[in-house]
Amino acid sequence: MSETPAGTKSSLQQVREQIVALLPRLRRFGRAITRHPSDADDLVQISIERALLRYEQWRPEAPFHSWMFGIMRNAWIDEARARGRQGKVLAPEEAGLDVPDNASEAQLRMLSVQKAMATLPEEQRLAVALVLVEGLSYKEAAEALDVPIGTLTSRLARGREALQKQLE
Amino acid sequence: MQFSDETLMAYADDEVDADLRRQIEAAMALDPSIAERIAKHRNLRVDLGAAFNGVLDEPIPDRLLDAADSSPTAATVTNLNAARAAKQRAAHPRRWSWVEWTSIAASLVIGILAGPHSAAAGAFRFVCNQRRRHRRAGRAVGRTHRSGRRR
């Protein structure tokens, strides 16, 4: 373990600063992958705690967002497994996905897209969220998901096809 | 020339190499349906942005800024399940679980320091009696001794 030269920040401090800078995108990613808006910030909080616990695992030459999105994805998968084991039924649709009476076309479209994302299988939803919502390259997204690029692109393609079908 | 949907998606995502890009662009000039398919893929990205980008403009909740500042230990990492369960309990009060009786009793021990005739002491005695009644009520709530043996 190398020592920190005097005058440079510890890597823990670097990770804290990277997290704060990335917070808006982490919240957006959370909204895209969790089925219920109230879960999104909970997931971000858990992921921040895990990242700070494991800060030594981030290699500074690697893109921070790939590492951080990978932590969020793992935390979400752990959560989905825990719910599956307990046979928990997902909570009913949150208020907020209700359509207001005077909704504009743009608002209706937003809600349809959010709902369509929620119906995707986890793998496809994660791929779509990383590439199309967060704008990661195929390589970065594959790293975040810890899969080969071919796996990422096929999940992405299936997710997009499913979304297009639902939104036609 | 035929291109798979996945190939055109990669083109829309700027993920094809220079050679493939040239081939697709050459084919596009002759076949308008290729441009239509690419436009569909690009529009989906725009729609997804519209659906989720709003959160970028929201103020960051304090608890997330606090979390970034904190010094978590393995014991304090939030469990999403527990967070959701806590919210549900707040919204829908129900018969208390065994775990909750125990933690309520433990926290009331602090109240005992206020004196044996205090309200806290009275509440503690009430909770202890409830636990005894609860235990006699049945095996449904099992309890494992610290050593791991069930009692």
Side-chain angles (χ1 to χ4, degrees):
Chain A
M1 191 89 90
S2 59
E3 286 182 315
T4 313
T8 63
K9 281 173 242 181
S10 75
S11 51
L12 174 59
Q13 186 54 27
Q14 280 182 46
V15 168
R16 286 192 201 279
E17 290 173 4
Q18 296 267 22
I19 286 172
V20 171
L22 202 58
L23 271 172
R25 289 183 65 191
L26 295 178
R27 298 186 73 217
R28 177 175 63 180
F29 185 59
R31 297 274 178 102
I33 69 173
T34 60
R35 284 191 171 91
H36 305 283
S38 64
D39 282 345
D41 280 347
D42 287 343
L43 180 63
V44 174
Q45 183 171 338
I46 292 165
S47 305
I48 292 171
E49 290 166 359
R50 287 193 183 188
L52 293 176
L53 266 176
R54 302 172 188 172
Y55 74 93
E56 283 161 329
Q57 292 174 16
W58 174 54
R59 300 164 293 122
E61 62 272 14
F64 182 77
H65 58 269
S66 301
W67 183 71
M68 197 62 212
F69 286 134
I71 289 184
M72 276 188 74
R73 164 254 189 179
N74 289 330
W76 182 237
I77 287 175
D78 288 347
E79 170 59 20
R81 252 188 226 130
R83 290 186 188 179
R85 257 203 310 272
Q86 291 160 11
K88 277 201 187 313
V89 176
L90 287 178
E93 295 287 86
E94 309 277 322
L97 291 183
D98 293 332
V99 183
D101 283 334
N102 57 348
S104 68
E105 259 216 49
Q107 283 175 305
L108 288 171
R109 184 71 178 168
M110 264 181 63
L111 290 169
S112 314
V113 173
Q114 287 165 2
K115 278 195 163 170
M117 268 293 265
T119 65
L120 289 186
E122 299 283 354
E123 292 180 346
Q124 294 174 22
R125 194 162 73 251
L126 281 163
V128 170
L130 285 171
V131 175
L132 299 182
V133 177
E134 288 305 323
L136 266 62
S137 69
Y138 289 179
K139 182 170 180 287
E140 290 170 337
E143 276 169 14
L145 295 178
D146 202 19
V147 296
I149 290 191
T151 305
L152 181 276
T153 55
S154 80
R155 291 177 186 179
L156 181 61
R158 276 179 282 141
R160 280 160 119 153
E161 281 160 26
L163 288 174
Q164 300 277 22
K165 239 193 199 122
Q166 287 210 38
L167 296 171
E168 262 157 24
Chain B
M1 200 177 167
Q2 286 288 23
F3 297 102
S4 71
D5 241 13
E6 222 175 292
T7 304
L8 296 186
M9 287 174 185
Y11 176 84
D13 295 343
D14 261 330
E15 291 274 353
V16 294
D17 64 33
D19 275 344
L20 189 46
R21 189 173 345 119
R22 272 194 293 270
Q23 287 179 40
I24 292 172
E25 286 169 0
M28 252 200 285
L30 304 169
D31 182 354
S33 73
I34 294 179
E36 276 167 33
R37 288 162 67 195
I38 290 168
K40 256 183 46 178
H41 299 316
R42 289 204 168 119
N43 288 339
L44 179 60
R45 186 191 281 263
V46 171
D47 278 346
L48 282 162
F52 294 107
N53 285 346
V55 68
L56 296 177
D57 297 325
E58 289 175 19
I60 310 280
D62 279 338
R63 64 163 166 140
L64 296 185
L65 293 167
D66 291 344
D69 243 351
S70 67
S71 300
T73 63
T76 59
V77 171
T78 310
N79 174 272
L80 190 62
N81 224 21
R84 172 184 278 277
K87 280 182 207 164
Q88 280 178 344
R89 275 200 301 273
H92 306 286
R94 55 173 172 76
R95 218 161 57 91
W96 286 341
S97 72
W98 180 253
V99 171
E100 283 161 304
W101 279 115
T102 312
S103 60
I104 288 166
S107 63
L108 282 174
V109 169
I110 294 165
I112 296 304
L113 295 174
H117 300 295
S118 70
F124 180 68
R125 278 192 290 273
F126 172 74
V127 168
C128 285
N129 290 335
Q130 293 291 6
R131 285 173 65 194
R132 272 198 285 276
R133 259 176 256 147
H134 201 147
R135 183 158 31 180
R136 280 200 288 267
R139 291 253 155 240
V141 282
R143 187 178 174 205
T144 307
H145 189 259
R146 255 201 319 273
S147 69
R149 289 201 312 278
R150 289 193 80 79
R151 277 205 169 168

